[in-house]
Amino acid sequence: MTDLPTLPTGALILAARQRDGRPQAAIAGLCGISTDYLSQIERGLKQPSGRCSPRSPPSSR
């Protein structure tokens, strides 16, 4: 069996955001981050913190 290639986290966030037709401001607001920081994540310049990572489980609070 061959392992499938994985996309960088930022590329996954960008693809999901564009697929859903959501602006950066909406996603950034949900994560509590700035649109500038989200843009850097999508371009692969920064790694997201755990609170806005797509693989993070929901908070139990």
Side-chain angles (χ1 to χ4, degrees):
M1 180 165 73
T2 306
D3 289 332
L4 295 173
T6 57
L7 293 173
T9 301
L12 293 172
I13 294 170
L14 175 63
R17 182 177 65 76
Q18 290 178 333
R19 179 195 66 221
D20 294 345
R22 294 180 184 259
Q24 278 186 334
I27 302 303
L30 289 172
C31 293
I33 60 174
S34 70
T35 54
D36 289 337
Y37 184 54
L38 178 58
S39 176
Q40 291 173 350
I41 291 170
E42 289 180 345
R43 291 181 286 137
L45 301 176
K46 300 276 185 178
Q47 287 297 310
S49 64
R51 67 182 175 163
C52 63
S53 175
R55 294 190 177 107
S56 294
S59 176
S60 59
R61 292 184 207 184

